[in-house]
Amino acid sequence: MKINPLLDQHNIHSAYMHFERKQWAELRDSVQLTLSEEDLQQLQGINESISIQEVIDIYLPLSRLLNLYIKAQQYRHTVRDKFLSCSNEHVPYIIGIAGSVAVGKSTTARILQALLSRWPEHPKVALVTTDGFLRPNQDLVARNLMHKKGFPESFDIKALVDFVAAIKSGKEQVSAPIYSHLTYDIIPEKSISVEKPDIVILEGLNVLQTAVNYPDHPHRIFVSDFVDFSIFVDADTDLLKQWYIQRFLKFREGAFTDPNAYFHSYSKMSEREAISIAAKIWDEINGINLEENIRPTRDRANLILKKATNHQVSSVKLRK
């Protein structure tokens, strides 16, 4: 069946093909679902209820598309090696997932990791979040940046770019710091090791925005320079604020009750007080970061997933 994407009548110069949910779902073709309800329960986030139907309609077609892109790149590498009469090191395919706080980037990343690892061509799929490259709290306090955690300046940009560049160079083992949402800080002397994966999924606020200047390089280097396919998970601002507040309330009843939690004091607040605090944090920090730094990078992505109520994807945009 031939699927015709919708034309953007308001912008004939749009770089994207637009698919409504039903159109996108038909692009699944004959790809079979390899996740059970139990698998899905383990993958979804604290404030999301992703159905099997959502995986079938949205993530299976996306998994199929990514598999085709990856196979095409593998073929290009074979052609290059034939031309050069040599055999180069295996180079992982890097998928970047960006978007706002509370939009569901982590769940999207985990579902894609589970689906892609079931394709026989690339069974080893690593998942890394850019949270690990936030500067430690001690450093943020010294720089007067604790109130801007998540903003570009709160990250160790050079370390993040170096990490992604090392993966793309084919280095056998690359390590990344680990961030704890419980202690709200980098875990000292702990790291995640990425060892010769077929695919790396890099998820975070800043996947499409981070750049660094190197003294011996004439241009700024972006993380996205090393990303093969990028996804932006999007939603209207009012929904994002609502989801953030809902997530905050669930943390208040769960993780925040741990005495070791950085935000333990919030667990003792009334629901009304907690809603007020969450709304204030959104308005003064996360909402500003979204409008100033995150959403402006949306149109750099290869694919945009637009979410509506209940975290359901309503439409998909694919770069032409």
Side-chain angles (χ1 to χ4, degrees):
M1 181 185 297
K2 185 177 180 181
I3 307 295
N4 292 314
L6 301 178
L7 296 176
D8 187 345
Q9 301 295 342
H10 302 292
N11 183 6
I12 61 173
H13 301 296
S14 173
Y16 292 94
M17 295 176 284
H18 181 103
F19 300 87
E20 292 299 327
R21 183 187 176 94
K22 186 173 183 297
Q23 288 179 302
W24 181 256
E26 291 174 3
L27 293 169
R28 168 191 169 193
D29 197 19
S30 59
V31 177
Q32 296 298 309
L33 179 63
T34 53
L35 297 179
S36 66
E37 289 277 5
E38 185 178 351
D39 293 330
L40 201 57
Q41 286 294 325
Q42 295 174 357
L43 294 171
Q44 59 193 16
I46 190 170
N47 196 42
E48 301 159 67
S49 180
I50 303 295
S51 67
I52 286 289
Q53 195 59 50
E54 184 78 359
V55 176
I56 292 171
D57 289 349
I58 303 301
Y59 295 100
L60 281 184
L62 180 52
S63 168
R64 176 181 172 234
L65 174 67
L66 287 167
N67 188 55
L68 290 170
Y69 271 110
I70 293 164
K71 286 201 292 187
Q73 176 165 291
Q74 290 170 343
Y75 176 72
R76 287 198 302 271
H77 287 170
T78 302
V79 171
R80 178 200 61 197
D81 291 351
K82 184 176 181 180
F83 173 71
L84 296 172
S85 298
C86 68
S87 179
N88 286 286
E89 288 292 326
H90 170 73
V91 178
Y93 191 91
I94 300 182
I95 299 168
I97 301 179
S100 171
V101 168
V103 77
K105 300 182 300 302
S106 297
T107 300
T108 295
R110 289 191 294 266
I111 291 173
L112 282 179
Q113 181 187 30
L115 291 174
L116 290 171
S117 65
R118 285 162 168 80
W119 286 90
E121 297 89 345
H122 38 75
K124 193 171 182 181
V125 184
L127 173 57
V128 179
T129 70
T130 64
D131 289 347
F133 294 93
L134 282 162
R135 297 184 185 278
N137 286 353
Q138 184 177 2
D139 194 356
L140 293 177
V141 169
R143 295 167 183 256
N144 192 28
L145 288 174
M146 279 296 286
H147 64 294
K148 285 202 163 186
K149 202 164 194 179
F151 282 64
E153 56 266 41
S154 66
F155 287 88
D156 185 342
I157 299 173
K158 184 179 182 301
L160 176 56
V161 171
D162 287 349
F163 170 78
V164 183
I167 289 175
K168 207 61 182 170
S169 71
K171 190 173 179 181
E172 288 199 11
Q173 182 175 331
V174 187
S175 296
I178 298 176
Y179 182 80
S180 168
H181 288 275
L182 179 68
T183 63
Y184 198 57
D185 203 355
I186 299 297
I187 303 176
E189 299 179 7
K190 279 199 174 184
S191 63
I192 180 173
S193 181
V194 179
E195 299 180 15
K196 295 186 77 68
D198 300 301
I199 301 170
V200 175
I201 298 175
L202 186 68
E203 175 262 309
L205 301 171
N206 57 344
V207 167
L208 294 172
Q209 67 184 238
T210 305
V212 64
N213 291 308
Y214 285 84
D216 58 346
H217 198 281
H219 306 293
R220 297 175 77 201
I221 299 178
F222 287 80
V223 169
S224 55
D225 291 340
F226 303 95
V227 171
D228 297 290
F229 191 93
S230 54
I231 300 166
F232 190 97
V233 187
D234 195 23
D236 291 341
T237 303
D238 289 347
L239 274 178
L240 290 168
K241 181 175 180 178
Q242 175 188 324
W243 294 341
Y244 177 76
I245 293 172
Q246 289 172 350
R247 190 177 76 171
F248 189 93
L249 291 176
K250 288 192 176 182
F251 276 133
R252 165 181 162 268
E253 297 170 355
F256 291 170
T257 61
D258 188 324
N260 295 316
Y262 183 85
F263 294 113
H264 178 61
S265 61
Y266 291 160
S267 67
K268 301 175 183 177
M269 291 180 173
S270 67
E271 182 172 311
R272 184 175 178 180
E273 289 175 317
I275 290 172
S276 177
I277 286 290
K280 180 179 173 66
I281 293 171
W282 176 269
D283 291 339
E284 296 182 358
I285 300 175
N286 295 317
I288 294 173
N289 194 20
L290 170 65
E291 298 303 331
E292 291 184 357
N293 301 303
I294 301 169
R295 187 166 279 150
T297 69
R298 177 179 56 194
D299 291 340
R300 294 181 190 168
N302 297 107
L303 183 134
I304 301 170
L305 297 174
K306 182 63 181 288
K307 286 188 172 185
T309 54
N310 299 321
H311 280 272
Q312 282 203 329
V313 173
S314 57
S315 64
V316 178
K317 287 184 177 182
L318 176 63
R319 185 171 289 279
K320 295 174 183 175

